[in-house]
Amino acid sequence: MEKRPFVTLEQVQEMAKKYPTPFHLYDEKGIRENARKLKKAFEWNKGFKEYFAVKATPNPYLMTILKEEGVGADCSSYAELVLSDKVGLTGQEIMFSSNDTPREDFELAAKMGAIINFDDLTHVDFFDKIAEFPETMCCRYNPGGDFSISNQIMDTPRDAKYGMTKEQMKEAFTKMKAKGVKHFGIHAFLASNTVTTEYYPKLAKILFELAVELKNECDVHIAFVNLSGGVGIPYKPGEEPNDILAIGEGVRKAYEEVFLPEGMDDVAIYTELGRFMLGPYGCLVTKVLHEKHIYKEYIGVDACAANLMRPAMYGAYHYVTVLGKEDAPLDHVYDVTGGLCENNDKFAIDRKLPKIDIGDYLVIHDTGAHGFSMGYNYNGKLRSAEILLQEDGTTKQIRRAETLDDYFATLDLENFPLNK
């Protein structure tokens, strides 16, 4: 699959007159179309609900677009709960899934009426000292071992800090039932950024079979199964995107195989997708400042790892387009770098690209999730603006760029001794 940006050079040149680069740019049309496709994939399940993983892109404008498409919020912190409240999401439109959870986070989640997803057995007693148990609650499952698809190990749950064993799930459900909980949910996340139609159906079957066992042994009502996230996107050219309609059909088959013989046809399916929902519909727009010719060819841009951490942190691949040169031959090899005092501050290494000139605009693809949200201020770098490309082709600033006043705001400089 060839990668093309959702924005043209002419559009970016106009944007840059109002919004200095670098900035993160989001495609409203793509976001809405994708949300509708996900809903269609699971329309066979009358209780289906997507809870967008707020940590992926915590911007209220984008969350509002998703809310208008029927999407809730998956929160993992106090701040994310507050943000969801500001967007107007309430009660069971919010799923609160956290770990090593502070008391005040549980207090706020309970006050808001969110569905609380316990990560550990000890959280049952911890929560009991904080608030009354609501009628609907959830627990996170960790099956241990390796998780494989087609004999390929996708991840190793036994090494993950998240979730409970099966026996702990049984104990938690029994305790929660005694506290008045009437409707139970099961949640698990076993692999990250999978690009295969097999992941969700296999995860679903594991959780559906667990749901039947918990229902029968603990005598509880299973209200929903939350498949969490893990459905990924193709970062590299040539990779095919996930077929969400085929994935939904695979989950449906597992549902009918496991649940229908047990009379459990009222179990709702929930998802908590972040990367799949927004990843391809965001990009980082940056301008070329310098070129350097030593042992390698370097292109220096005005963005850096503070704007997009994934390549530096994980060695993650992000496709790069030189705007206006989309069809030019890839006859040069560059490292594309930022200006941090760190050698891993590189967006691309030994990348074949067209000839790049100072002043060119680059689009770094697939930054709509875990892009801006992972930004930081190392070297005194300031976080960039976030811009929304609206369906009508106009743009809207949905987060301004940081200023030096923002950067220094938490320092008490007025009382600093050198100023006396």
Side-chain angles (χ1 to χ4, degrees):
M1 179 183 176
E2 184 183 5
K3 280 190 172 287
R4 287 276 182 171
F6 58 80
V7 66
T8 66
L9 173 60
E10 292 73 24
Q11 286 176 300
V12 164
Q13 287 172 333
E14 283 301 308
M15 292 177 199
K17 294 175 183 178
K18 295 172 62 178
Y19 318 115
T21 54
F23 53 78
H24 282 270
L25 180 67
Y26 304 96
D27 176 21
E28 179 181 3
K29 183 174 183 289
I31 292 169
R32 289 190 184 275
E33 289 176 351
N34 191 51
R36 292 167 191 171
K37 197 169 184 180
L38 172 67
K39 188 175 182 179
K40 182 175 177 60
F42 288 92
E43 63 184 359
W44 55 267
N45 182 261
K46 62 184 178 181
F48 174 72
K49 182 79 172 178
E50 155 65 3
Y51 291 85
F52 172 65
V54 177
K55 60 182 172 288
T57 321
N59 188 294
Y61 290 89
L62 302 176
M63 291 171 65
T64 297
I65 290 171
L66 292 173
K67 180 190 173 191
E68 291 169 356
E69 299 296 336
V71 174
D74 160 43
C75 299
S76 58
S77 70
Y78 193 100
E80 291 174 4
L81 286 168
V82 171
L83 188 57
S84 299
D85 180 61
K86 297 292 184 185
V87 169
L89 293 166
T90 60
Q92 295 193 6
E93 294 178 306
I94 301 170
M95 178 76 62
F96 182 64
S97 299
S98 66
N99 67 96
D100 192 19
T101 310
R103 177 188 181 94
E104 55 268 25
D105 291 29
F106 275 139
E107 286 176 341
L108 181 57
K111 182 180 177 181
M112 293 175 66
I115 300 174
I116 294 172
N117 180 28
F118 286 140
D119 178 68
D120 185 65
L121 175 61
T122 63
H123 290 179
V124 178
D125 291 337
F126 185 73
F127 184 84
D128 193 30
K129 300 172 185 176
I130 295 171
E132 291 187 12
F133 283 78
E135 289 192 352
T136 301
M137 297 202 80
C138 183
C139 289
R140 183 168 183 167
Y141 176 55
N142 183 330
D146 294 321
F147 178 74
S148 301
I149 296 176
S150 301
N151 296 319
Q152 178 183 356
I153 295 176
M154 305 296 290
D155 218 324
T156 308
R158 70 170 179 270
D159 292 337
K161 68 175 182 176
Y162 307 107
M164 309 183 200
T165 67
K166 183 186 292 187
E167 293 307 311
Q168 288 175 333
M169 292 283 287
K170 293 176 182 178
E171 185 176 348
F173 275 33
T174 301
K175 282 187 169 187
M176 290 157 64
K177 180 182 175 184
K179 295 293 181 180
V181 177
K182 296 179 180 178
H183 310 291
F184 294 80
I186 299 171
H187 172 287
F189 179 94
L190 301 187
S192 180
N193 194 41
T194 63
V195 187
T196 169
T197 57
E198 295 180 65
Y199 171 59
Y200 252 13
K202 181 162 185 178
L203 170 64
K205 189 171 183 183
I206 291 170
L207 296 186
F208 294 167
E209 290 173 346
L210 174 64
V212 170
E213 188 173 339
L214 290 170
K215 168 187 173 286
N216 293 333
E217 291 196 23
C218 302
D219 189 24
V220 295
H221 173 240
I222 305 298
F224 65 86
V225 170
N226 188 334
L227 301 176
S228 66
V231 176
I233 62 173
Y235 284 98
K236 296 181 180 180
E239 295 178 339
E240 289 298 319
N242 271 310
D243 183 344
I244 197 63
L245 298 179
I247 290 171
E249 178 63 13
V251 175
R252 183 190 65 79
K253 289 179 180 178
Y255 189 100
E256 292 179 353
E257 176 186 341
V258 178
F259 279 156
L260 295 194
E262 297 289 331
M264 296 173 67
D265 59 351
D266 65 333
V267 178
I269 301 298
Y270 295 163
T271 56
E272 291 176 351
L273 299 170
R275 195 189 317 260
F276 179 82
M277 295 303 291
L278 286 189
Y281 312 108
C283 63
L284 177 60
V285 178
T286 182
K287 189 174 184 178
V288 176
L289 299 180
H290 298 285
E291 55 183 315
K292 183 174 183 177
H293 316 284
I294 48 172
Y295 308 105
K296 300 179 76 173
E297 297 294 300
Y298 293 95
I299 293 295
V301 297
D302 59 6
C304 65
N307 305 112
L308 179 63
M309 186 193 292
R310 297 186 73 255
M313 187 174 185
Y314 303 123
Y317 181 101
H318 283 264
Y319 191 75
V320 176
T321 292
V322 186
L323 287 178
K325 301 180 181 179
E326 289 86 346
D327 298 314
L330 308 180
D331 53 4
H332 286 64
V333 177
Y334 298 109
D335 282 13
V336 180
T337 77
L340 289 186
C341 293
E342 294 289 340
N343 195 45
N344 66 352
D345 181 21
K346 298 179 179 180
F347 296 113
I349 298 174
D350 295 330
R351 188 74 59 86
K352 290 183 178 180
L353 293 165
K355 183 181 184 303
I356 298 176
D357 299 298
I358 293 173
D360 279 347
Y361 289 101
L362 307 187
V363 161
I364 301 174
H365 290 242
D366 301 318
T367 69
H370 311 290
F372 179 93
S373 64
M374 296 177 72
Y376 56 105
N377 287 126
Y378 182 60
N379 269 182
K381 295 294 185 180
L382 304 176
R383 291 180 178 88
S384 69
E386 291 182 292
I387 310 300
L388 179 65
L389 177 60
Q390 299 177 112
E391 285 188 291
D392 63 4
T394 62
T395 56
K396 181 176 185 178
Q397 181 174 268
I398 57 175
R399 190 190 303 267
R400 67 166 174 80
E402 283 184 335
T403 67
L404 281 176
D405 286 342
D406 297 321
Y407 180 72
F408 292 123
T410 54
L411 293 173
D412 186 8
L413 293 179
E414 289 194 8
N415 293 315
F416 192 61
L418 292 181
N419 289 335
K420 293 182 178 180

